[in-house]
Amino acid sequence: MVVVDKIRKRVGPQRRGAILSGSKETNSSAPRQTIDFGWRLHGRTIRLLRDSSLTLLPVRQRATAALLTQYCADGNSLLSCLQCGACTVNCHLAETDGALFPRRQMTLLQLGEVDKLLADPSVWLCFNCQDCTSRCPANAGPGRIMAAVRRLAVEQDAVPRWWSRLASQRRGFLCMLLAAIALLLVAIAVGGSFSPQSTPVRYASMLPHFTLNLFFGALAGVVMMFAAINTARAWKAFTGESLWEANLGRLVHSFASATRQIARHRQFSECQQFPLSRWAHISVFYGFITLLALAGAAATLIALGAPYPLPAFHPFKIAGNLAAALIIAGSLYFCVQRQRASQDREASSWFDWAPLVQLLLVSTTGLLAEVFRYANVGVLAYPTYFLHLAFVFVLLAGVANSKLAHVFYRTVALTAEQYKITSEAPVADLEPGRVAA
């Protein structure tokens, strides 16, 4: 109830009757006032009678908008929503699961029911195609509002919460980068050398593989522990039961179905506002997964005594270079997309820019470090490799508390939705549910 408490503090100590009416309490015999909700007919204002059975709580509505403004540039656009339903009509997710998305979510926000919305898995099923925003007659920006809610959800579930706030800010990136540089310098001082061999360039002479694998292995372990805690909290919010109490058979079946949905990226193909988003996201997603898998495999081979570094035409090297190229291409597409949006007064926050910038820095410095090593230019190779390791540290350290956390939350949301379906019928009798990925 943390979010509700924030809203109540903004609302102040007004009595409930005053909140519902938007003014001081009046005698029941007083004439009912009409309210301008923004409706227009042929340019003329249509004023409606206030109905106490369906009141949007203007004070709490403004408080919610003020809260969202902390997470997106146009949180106040929530006040412009007319509840016309145009967003739902144009949302492919609503067509898929029969929900009133995102109109229902916008209504909950206007009612100040933020905590209820944070427990709604539909928020994470949205793949941010912005079709609803592009067709909103009131310019309320439902797609951007949903993105702000996801950012708020990441912060609320994050452990530790301060780390999530730090990872969402530009200064946080600089702080984490400085921390990564300091820790790497300590690792080199303890288990490496500040005078590596110049010819031929050999990165292990600066930071041995054992020290490197121990350093990033410990980091990965801490990050995965926090990610497990965050996803367990999300599961309980989405399903109402603890993850440890879930039926194992249904859980495995639901997770497998969700994984297939994510792997296909089918729903991205229905995006009309940005039709190339599917291929860009596929490039980044599979490129990132491939690099993670190759890094783990290489660390295992090194631990088993395999010769390293690998030759230029080793399958691991070829796959890694292709994966890095895919990440760069996909990230550049999203960067251009966001830059164009900012020119249309739809500026993105650092929360949106951070993963793109970090992925570009990791991929670019990784490729350059490889080129400089093969060219045997030690004066450029070692600094580039050091920066590459620092950028990898920043990327991994924030993966569970930044926008990249949607990898975990979306998977949990898809699994939870499928789990609810399988809980109503035997697993063997079910076809894979059609849920947006």
Side-chain angles (χ1 to χ4, degrees):
M1 300 297 290
V2 175
V3 178
V4 169
D5 291 339
K6 288 183 179 180
I7 295 177
R8 285 172 178 168
K9 289 179 181 178
R10 292 180 180 275
V11 171
Q14 296 98 327
R15 299 178 64 182
R16 178 174 177 80
I19 292 178
L20 291 174
S21 63
S23 62
K24 296 182 178 180
E25 289 183 293
T26 59
N27 190 289
S28 59
S29 61
R32 300 178 66 185
Q33 298 178 348
T34 59
I35 304 298
D36 180 10
F37 286 102
W39 293 90
R40 302 291 184 269
L41 180 62
H42 301 300
R44 300 180 60 183
T45 300
I46 301 177
R47 301 181 66 86
L48 304 177
L49 288 173
R50 181 181 300 279
D51 185 354
S52 59
S53 64
L54 183 60
T55 305
L56 293 184
L57 306 180
V59 178
R60 296 188 66 180
Q61 182 183 6
R62 288 192 293 271
T64 304
L67 178 66
L68 290 177
T69 303
Q70 303 176 24
Y71 299 92
C72 67
D74 55 352
N76 284 321
S77 63
L78 172 67
L79 303 175
S80 304
C81 178
L82 305 177
Q83 286 296 314
C84 63
C87 52
T88 296
V89 171
N90 291 281
C91 179
H92 301 291
L93 175 59
E95 296 176 3
T96 300
D97 64 4
L100 296 177
F101 185 89
R103 181 185 179 186
R104 177 177 179 273
Q105 285 68 26
M106 294 293 285
T107 302
L108 288 175
L109 283 172
Q110 289 186 320
L111 293 173
E113 300 288 349
V114 181
D115 282 321
K116 185 179 296 185
L117 184 58
L118 295 180
D120 184 0
S122 296
V123 172
W124 290 101
L125 302 184
C126 170
F127 48 95
N128 200 31
C129 70
Q130 296 295 330
D131 282 350
C132 58
T133 295
S134 65
R135 292 168 174 80
C136 177
N139 294 322
R144 297 190 298 274
I145 294 295
M146 290 301 102
V149 172
R150 288 192 291 272
R151 179 180 172 184
L152 176 60
V154 170
E155 181 178 305
Q156 293 298 314
D157 288 333
V159 176
R161 188 171 297 175
W162 63 267
W163 185 259
S164 178
R165 294 194 185 102
L166 189 66
S168 303
Q169 301 174 7
R170 188 176 285 103
R171 65 177 182 177
F173 170 74
L174 296 176
C175 291
M176 286 193 291
L177 181 59
L178 292 175
I181 291 174
L183 291 173
L184 284 171
L185 290 175
V186 171
I188 294 174
V190 172
S193 173
F194 289 105
S195 301
Q197 65 183 46
S198 57
T199 304
V201 172
R202 187 170 178 270
Y203 292 133
S205 64
M206 180 182 73
L207 191 60
H209 294 136
F210 176 79
T211 305
L212 182 66
N213 292 339
L214 184 63
F215 181 84
F216 281 100
L219 173 64
V222 173
V223 170
M224 293 309 298
M225 179 183 68
F226 288 152
I229 295 174
N230 298 349
T231 52
R233 287 182 171 184
W235 175 268
K236 187 171 184 178
F238 295 158
T239 63
E241 67 177 14
S242 172
L243 181 60
W244 323 119
E245 299 173 352
N247 181 281
L248 183 59
R250 289 204 300 267
L251 181 61
V252 171
H253 176 270
S254 302
F255 178 75
S257 177
T259 303
R260 288 193 296 269
Q261 297 285 345
I262 293 173
R264 294 170 184 169
H265 275 64
R266 180 180 58 196
Q267 289 293 331
F268 272 99
S269 62
E270 299 179 358
C271 176
Q272 300 177 13
Q273 183 71 4
F274 302 107
L276 296 179
S277 292
R278 180 192 185 194
W279 301 109
H281 198 274
I282 284 177
S283 299
V284 175
F285 178 77
Y286 282 106
F288 185 67
I289 294 297
T290 301
L291 288 182
L292 282 180
L294 290 175
T300 302
L301 291 177
I302 292 172
L304 295 176
Y308 202 85
L310 301 174
F313 294 101
H314 191 279
F316 278 21
K317 284 290 184 182
I318 296 175
N321 291 332
L322 289 176
L326 287 175
I327 291 177
I328 292 174
S331 298
L332 286 176
Y333 170 82
F334 286 120
C335 285
V336 172
Q337 184 186 101
R338 293 198 175 280
Q339 183 61 33
R340 289 178 177 176
S342 65
Q343 294 175 356
D344 296 333
R345 298 180 180 180
E346 298 179 8
S348 300
S349 65
W350 177 250
F351 182 80
D352 300 306
W353 280 105
L356 299 177
V357 172
Q358 293 170 11
L359 287 170
L360 282 173
L361 289 174
V362 168
S363 303
T364 304
T365 54
L367 290 176
L368 288 176
E370 184 179 9
V371 170
F372 293 148
R373 182 174 71 84
Y374 287 127
N376 206 30
V377 185
V379 68
L380 294 177
Y382 289 111
T384 303
Y385 179 66
F386 182 86
L387 287 176
H388 172 68
L389 295 180
F391 291 139
V392 170
F393 179 95
V394 174
L395 180 67
L396 292 180
V399 73
N401 295 321
S402 66
K403 188 172 183 177
L404 290 175
H406 78 276
V407 174
F408 304 107
Y409 287 99
R410 190 188 301 272
T411 303
V412 173
L414 286 166
T415 304
E417 287 292 288
Q418 192 65 31
Y419 185 83
K420 293 177 182 177
I421 297 175
T422 57
S423 64
E424 300 173 358
V427 173
D429 297 339
L430 287 172
E431 294 292 332
R434 187 184 175 208
V435 184

